Amino acid sequence: MLFIGLAPLLVISAVSLTTVIETRLENISELESQVIDSAAEKIKRYLDQKMSVFNLVVDLEIENISEVEKEKIDFLAKGLKEATGNVEELVFIDRDGRELAKETNTLQTEPLSLQGVSERDDFETAIAGKNYFGPVEYNLAEPTMIIASQIENKNRQIIGVISAEINLKPVEEEISQIRLGEKGFVYLVDEQGKLITSSNKNFASQGEDLTRLSLVKDVVSGKTHNGLSEEDRYKNPLADTVIFSGKTVEKVGWAVMVEWPWQDAFSVVWTMLTRFLLILFVSLILVAGFSVFFGHLVVKPVEILSKGADEISKGNFDYKISIKTKDELEKLGERFNKMISVLKENQRLRDEFVFVAAHELRAPVTVIKGYLSMVLEGDYGKISKETKSVLETASNLNERLVKLVFDLLEVARSEAGKMEIEVKPTSVKESVQEVLKEFENMAIQKGIQLVYKGLAQDAKAMADGYRVKEVLTNLIGNAIKYTLGKGTVEISHEVKDNYLITNVRDEGMGISEENVKKLFSKFFRVKTEETREIEGTGLGLFICKEIIERMAGKIWATSQLDKGSTFSFSLRLA
Ligand code: ADP
């Protein structure tokens, strides 16, 4: 019951657990990609905002910014630098690649280079009309980078370039605030895979080349990771197994990466799992408790009842059922007891009837037997042949009646516990010899050879000699009776474990295995074509059993159809 109750629960739990784990993994991947996208978006916005400031349009018709007065340009540069913020250095360059004005945070201002700038990447890219995002530099407290944009005139013609070194402090601040769960963190690397910043300061130092980590290398070279595949789980330099996601940031070629320690990411699932296990454990205990409780409440009384039913079917009417459950089962037990007492009373009445009937019949049938034998022997004068023949038939039938009446009396006595048995050291050998003598004529008439192996030492058994003869008469009588043709009936003994065993073996019709089991019950007779004509009451073996058991012995039979049977009984040695 416990198993049937819990098996579906366990299966459902296992299935839902795997589903929960899968769903959680998808959630994690989604969360990571949201974090990456929002970080990338912020970076882009920061750079775009800076760039839009430097993309200057002057409301003049001039061809080159150098045509504007130096003072004005200086003023403009100063104002622009201050207004923009996070600018380390800002330079105005004219169309020909000459620096016109330079605003810097350092005290010593570098002299303006009036030529040579024209070959620098920032200038070349910006003058060609494209915005320039330079590589990240790690010389200052915060990483910096050069960005450059165009100065345009009224007609949107490029008349110069503004190149500025901006620091990435705001980016650093934004990134440093991003967390996933308790331990998940974000980091940003430049297009060469060097660390710009990370929200976990222990992870790596600024400017450190992280392309040694194959996943980082992958992302820098353009491949996106989303934390879902097996390879996205790796042991990071902090020795945590993490779920990794990463993606490049448009325009600059940087990459944003997220690492979320597996244990932390799944902590929700673990919490759920431990709660679930706790509930499972508690319900297990409850179910087990209920089983034991109901076991006592229901199963126990049912067991008691079925034991009672067994005892009744064995004929033990003194058995009492005791169920104290104060419910229908207790009432059922009481009804059972009532039924047993009714059965017991019925049996008593039946036994009494049998005893009285047999007792009352005994005198008449015995007297009839006496008279018939006297008439047949001519004590009342000569009788004709016809009369003799009729009287002989009557005498035979009366003989059967006498046997039945005596058997019934014996059974009734035995069942009432009134069978008289006096146990004392008795010679079984003598009993056998006496009984064999009685059967000599009958055996010769039927062509049956009686063989007695005897007993080496005349071992005496604890028995009632008269009763032993009664048993032997029955067994040897049956052996002769149920051997239809010629054959041998052999009586032998053996001594085993302090018991004397007597075997009566015949070569008669034998008994089927199924019938052997029923042989010793009251009124049992084998019903076949062969036995139909043979007279009997079906009480002989039952009486034998009662007698032998009263003498603390056992009786049994082995048999094979058409081969013969062996009936044996054991008696304790004196
Ligand atoms: P019955 O008066 O019918 O002989 P028993 O109790 O002595 O009654 O025997 C019961 C039945 O067992 C018999 O009817 C018979 O069918 C079977 N039986 C007993 N002894 C033998 C035997 N030696 N061989 C075959 N069948 C036997």
Side-chain angles (χ1 to χ4, degrees), residues 445-463:
Q445 271 172 26
K446 281 195 78 175
I448 287 170
Q449 202 189 350
L450 292 178
V451 179
Y452 181 39
K453 291 262 174 95
L455 197 55
Q457 306 133 337
D458 189 7
K460 291 202 165 145
M462 290 308 287

mmCIF file of all heavy atoms in Angstrom, residues 445-463:
data_model
loop_
_atom_site.group_PDB
_atom_site.id
_atom_site.type_symbol
_atom_site.label_atom_id
_atom_site.label_comp_id
_atom_site.label_asym_id
_atom_site.label_seq_id
_atom_site.Cartn_x
_atom_site.Cartn_y
_atom_site.Cartn_z
ATOM 1 N N GLN A 445 -9.179 -68.344 0.968
ATOM 2 C CA GLN A 445 -10.316 -68.319 0.044
ATOM 3 C C GLN A 445 -10.092 -67.348 -1.114
ATOM 4 O O GLN A 445 -10.421 -67.634 -2.258
ATOM 5 C CB GLN A 445 -11.582 -67.900 0.789
ATOM 6 C CG GLN A 445 -12.341 -69.066 1.390
ATOM 7 C CD GLN A 445 -13.477 -68.571 2.274
ATOM 8 O OE1 GLN A 445 -13.986 -67.473 2.083
ATOM 9 N NE2 GLN A 445 -13.850 -69.387 3.244
ATOM 10 N N LYS A 446 -9.504 -66.161 -0.825
ATOM 11 C CA LYS A 446 -9.310 -65.146 -1.878
ATOM 12 C C LYS A 446 -7.998 -65.328 -2.653
ATOM 13 O O LYS A 446 -7.694 -64.579 -3.579
ATOM 14 C CB LYS A 446 -9.312 -63.742 -1.273
ATOM 15 C CG LYS A 446 -10.719 -63.248 -0.981
ATOM 16 C CD LYS A 446 -10.743 -61.750 -0.734
ATOM 17 C CE LYS A 446 -10.664 -60.951 -2.018
ATOM 18 N NZ LYS A 446 -10.799 -59.520 -1.806
ATOM 19 N N GLY A 447 -7.218 -66.348 -2.237
ATOM 20 C CA GLY A 447 -5.937 -66.606 -2.920
ATOM 21 C C GLY A 447 -4.899 -65.557 -2.578
ATOM 22 O O GLY A 447 -4.071 -65.174 -3.408
ATOM 23 N N ILE A 448 -4.979 -65.068 -1.356
ATOM 24 C CA ILE A 448 -4.024 -64.025 -0.953
ATOM 25 C C ILE A 448 -3.063 -64.588 0.072
ATOM 26 O O ILE A 448 -3.459 -65.316 0.985
ATOM 27 C CB ILE A 448 -4.772 -62.810 -0.391
ATOM 28 C CG1 ILE A 448 -5.455 -62.065 -1.549
ATOM 29 C CG2 ILE A 448 -3.847 -61.865 0.352
ATOM 30 C CD1 ILE A 448 -6.399 -61.000 -1.126
ATOM 31 N N GLN A 449 -1.792 -64.287 -0.141
ATOM 32 C CA GLN A 449 -0.774 -64.817 0.753
ATOM 33 C C GLN A 449 -0.498 -63.803 1.859
ATOM 34 O O GLN A 449 -0.253 -62.621 1.582
ATOM 35 C CB GLN A 449 0.504 -65.024 -0.065
ATOM 36 C CG GLN A 449 1.422 -66.030 0.570
ATOM 37 C CD GLN A 449 2.772 -66.057 -0.148
ATOM 38 O OE1 GLN A 449 2.934 -65.464 -1.213
ATOM 39 N NE2 GLN A 449 3.710 -66.758 0.434
ATOM 40 N N LEU A 450 -0.592 -64.240 3.115
ATOM 41 C CA LEU A 450 -0.307 -63.340 4.228
ATOM 42 C C LEU A 450 1.126 -63.576 4.681
ATOM 43 O O LEU A 450 1.507 -64.697 4.956
ATOM 44 C CB LEU A 450 -1.257 -63.619 5.400
ATOM 45 C CG LEU A 450 -2.736 -63.273 5.184
ATOM 46 C CD1 LEU A 450 -3.547 -63.662 6.416
ATOM 47 C CD2 LEU A 450 -2.914 -61.793 4.902
ATOM 48 N N VAL A 451 1.927 -62.514 4.689
ATOM 49 C CA VAL A 451 3.334 -62.665 5.077
ATOM 50 C C VAL A 451 3.604 -61.777 6.281
ATOM 51 O O VAL A 451 3.255 -60.591 6.272
ATOM 52 C CB VAL A 451 4.259 -62.237 3.909
ATOM 53 C CG1 VAL A 451 5.717 -62.356 4.315
ATOM 54 C CG2 VAL A 451 3.967 -63.063 2.680
ATOM 55 N N TYR A 452 4.218 -62.375 7.318
ATOM 56 C CA TYR A 452 4.600 -61.553 8.474
ATOM 57 C C TYR A 452 6.087 -61.660 8.686
ATOM 58 O O TYR A 452 6.617 -62.734 8.877
ATOM 59 C CB TYR A 452 3.819 -62.007 9.716
ATOM 60 C CG TYR A 452 4.155 -61.170 10.954
ATOM 61 C CD1 TYR A 452 4.346 -59.788 10.830
ATOM 62 C CD2 TYR A 452 4.272 -61.739 12.215
ATOM 63 C CE1 TYR A 452 4.633 -59.020 11.939
ATOM 64 C CE2 TYR A 452 4.567 -60.970 13.332
ATOM 65 C CZ TYR A 452 4.748 -59.596 13.182
ATOM 66 O OH TYR A 452 5.045 -58.814 14.278
ATOM 67 N N LYS A 453 6.778 -60.527 8.616
ATOM 68 C CA LYS A 453 8.227 -60.533 8.750
ATOM 69 C C LYS A 453 8.658 -60.690 10.201
ATOM 70 O O LYS A 453 9.808 -60.966 10.485
ATOM 71 C CB LYS A 453 8.793 -59.217 8.212
ATOM 72 C CG LYS A 453 8.651 -59.073 6.713
ATOM 73 C CD LYS A 453 9.944 -59.464 6.025
ATOM 74 C CE LYS A 453 9.805 -59.467 4.528
ATOM 75 N NZ LYS A 453 10.220 -58.232 3.894
ATOM 76 N N GLY A 454 7.732 -60.468 11.140
ATOM 77 C CA GLY A 454 8.071 -60.593 12.558
ATOM 78 C C GLY A 454 8.922 -59.461 13.069
ATOM 79 O O GLY A 454 9.104 -58.456 12.387
ATOM 80 N N LEU A 455 9.441 -59.654 14.263
ATOM 81 C CA LEU A 455 10.217 -58.597 14.906
ATOM 82 C C LEU A 455 11.377 -59.275 15.605
ATOM 83 O O LEU A 455 11.173 -60.213 16.364
ATOM 84 C CB LEU A 455 9.294 -57.906 15.933
ATOM 85 C CG LEU A 455 9.676 -56.547 16.463
ATOM 86 C CD1 LEU A 455 9.889 -55.560 15.333
ATOM 87 C CD2 LEU A 455 8.563 -56.040 17.380
ATOM 88 N N ALA A 456 12.623 -58.840 15.312
ATOM 89 C CA ALA A 456 13.808 -59.510 15.835
ATOM 90 C C ALA A 456 13.729 -59.675 17.360
ATOM 91 O O ALA A 456 13.646 -60.775 17.876
ATOM 92 C CB ALA A 456 15.047 -58.732 15.439
ATOM 93 N N GLN A 457 13.718 -58.495 18.054
ATOM 94 C CA GLN A 457 13.465 -58.626 19.498
ATOM 95 C C GLN A 457 12.018 -58.226 19.670
ATOM 96 O O GLN A 457 11.548 -57.323 18.981
ATOM 97 C CB GLN A 457 14.334 -57.651 20.299
ATOM 98 C CG GLN A 457 15.802 -57.787 19.983
ATOM 99 C CD GLN A 457 16.426 -56.408 19.745
ATOM 100 O OE1 GLN A 457 15.755 -55.453 19.401
ATOM 101 N NE2 GLN A 457 17.737 -56.367 19.926
ATOM 102 N N ASP A 458 11.365 -58.854 20.564
ATOM 103 C CA ASP A 458 9.962 -58.503 20.739
ATOM 104 C C ASP A 458 9.849 -57.169 21.472
ATOM 105 O O ASP A 458 9.588 -57.104 22.669
ATOM 106 C CB ASP A 458 9.233 -59.613 21.520
ATOM 107 C CG ASP A 458 7.734 -59.365 21.513
ATOM 108 O OD1 ASP A 458 7.306 -58.424 20.783
ATOM 109 O OD2 ASP A 458 6.990 -60.090 22.200
ATOM 110 N N ALA A 459 10.092 -56.083 20.692
ATOM 111 C CA ALA A 459 10.035 -54.750 21.287
ATOM 112 C C ALA A 459 8.601 -54.444 21.659
ATOM 113 O O ALA A 459 7.700 -54.602 20.844
ATOM 114 C CB ALA A 459 10.545 -53.730 20.274
ATOM 115 N N LYS A 460 8.433 -54.015 22.917
ATOM 116 C CA LYS A 460 7.065 -53.706 23.359
ATOM 117 C C LYS A 460 6.769 -52.209 23.153
ATOM 118 O O LYS A 460 7.660 -51.377 23.264
ATOM 119 C CB LYS A 460 6.901 -54.085 24.832
ATOM 120 C CG LYS A 460 6.941 -55.583 25.001
ATOM 121 C CD LYS A 460 6.277 -56.017 26.273
ATOM 122 C CE LYS A 460 6.043 -57.519 26.181
ATOM 123 N NZ LYS A 460 6.181 -58.191 27.436
ATOM 124 N N ALA A 461 5.498 -51.935 22.848
ATOM 125 C CA ALA A 461 5.101 -50.535 22.649
ATOM 126 C C ALA A 461 4.106 -50.142 23.716
ATOM 127 O O ALA A 461 3.426 -50.988 24.291
ATOM 128 C CB ALA A 461 4.477 -50.367 21.270
ATOM 129 N N MET A 462 4.046 -48.837 23.972
ATOM 130 C CA MET A 462 3.074 -48.333 24.932
ATOM 131 C C MET A 462 1.735 -48.266 24.214
ATOM 132 O O MET A 462 1.491 -47.360 23.402
ATOM 133 C CB MET A 462 3.477 -46.933 25.422
ATOM 134 C CG MET A 462 4.696 -46.916 26.315
ATOM 135 S SD MET A 462 4.585 -48.064 27.679
ATOM 136 C CE MET A 462 3.398 -47.217 28.717
ATOM 137 N N ALA A 463 0.862 -49.254 24.480
ATOM 138 C CA ALA A 463 -0.406 -49.316 23.754
ATOM 139 C C ALA A 463 -1.426 -50.148 24.511
ATOM 140 O O ALA A 463 -1.127 -50.763 25.521
ATOM 141 C CB ALA A 463 -0.154 -49.926 22.376
#
